[in-house]
Amino acid sequence: MGRSRRTLPEELLLLALDPTTGTTAQPQSLDLGLAGAQLVELALAGRIAPDGDRIAVVAPRPTGDPTLDCALELLRRRGAPVRAVNWIGGPRLGLRQTYLSHLERCGMVHAVEGQMCGVLPTTRYQATETAISREIKARLDSAIRTGVPPDPRTAALAALAHAVGLGKHLYPGNEGRSSRSRLRDLIRHDPMGGLVAHAVMDVQNGAAAQPRRSPAPVGRQAPGPGGRPAPEPARGVPAQPRHGSMARAVAH
């Protein structure tokens, strides 16, 4: 896999960067989206494929991208297909910083050092190749405006952007409401992108901790601890991903 093409994690991160503040929109959900974008990129490269709601490695040879190859190797070591929601919900400490550092090395962003409250060192990132960010956004705009089914890469990018909550960042205010709605609808144009996007949203809603079980017989509720009926699981409450501390704070 050549490096002439930007990967989906890189494109998603460039979309999330605020050109004014140098911070990333939706930082916590963006971390999940980057892990999901890696899966889609590996699928586009023919290395993995969906197996129901799981991800299976079909060609373990390296792609040539170190970060993607690390993810591919971790998937291979699992030995069996893994649920997308469990993979995306796993620890991804430093993934966003890894991609920010890569974009900086490529000259697409530059770091701006600062301090939080005059004490804690922070780093913000400003896009230097703004034409690239505009081109990525223009692909989404075109798919939204024309209604023509986009290519799988653009469809997956739209699905991930919606899943991590970038709609209001990309199309703010009441005037952007219809664009946000059409962005959400693009999720149906790529099966792998749709699978991953729904997994990202499930993790945010706490579904990663709720393994699927066969339904109990009609009229009989599955027992909980001590033989009592198990309570209905709480739904719709976003679960906050856990993040480790970093010696150097990265501005969100």
Side-chain angles (χ1 to χ4, degrees), residues 38-39 42-43 45-49 55-79 87:
Q38 286 186 315
L39 293 181
L42 287 170
R47 301 313 197 264
I48 65 175
I55 304 298
V57 175
V58 295
R61 66 183 183 279
T63 66
D65 181 296
T67 310
L68 290 175
D69 288 341
C70 179
L72 179 62
E73 176 62 15
L74 289 174
L75 285 166
R76 186 193 67 79
R77 289 178 184 176
R78 294 291 185 97
W87 172 262

Side-chain angles (χ1 to χ4, degrees), residues 77-93:
R77 289 178 184 176
R78 294 291 185 97
V82 59
R83 289 182 69 212
V85 69
N86 287 343
W87 172 262
I88 291 170
R92 293 292 179 273
L93 182 63

Side-chain angles (χ1 to χ4, degrees), residues 8 35-44 47-56 75 82 84 87-88 152 155-157 159-160 187-199:
L8 275 173
Q38 286 186 315
L39 293 181
V40 179
E41 190 65 52
L42 287 170
L44 290 171
R47 301 313 197 264
I48 65 175
D51 181 5
D53 68 342
R54 296 174 182 267
I55 304 298
L75 285 166
V82 59
W87 172 262
I88 291 170
L157 181 62
L160 288 163
I187 200 170
R188 70 182 186 275
H189 288 294
D190 179 61
M192 185 67 181
L195 168 66
V196 169
H198 281 109

Side-chain angles (χ1 to χ4, degrees), residues 168-188:
K168 290 185 178 180
H169 168 70
L170 298 171
Y171 305 103
N174 288 332
E175 64 275 15
R177 184 177 300 173
S178 61
S179 293
R180 293 195 298 270
S181 177
R182 288 193 288 270
L183 180 71
R184 180 194 63 223
D185 292 342
L186 290 175
I187 200 170
R188 70 182 186 275

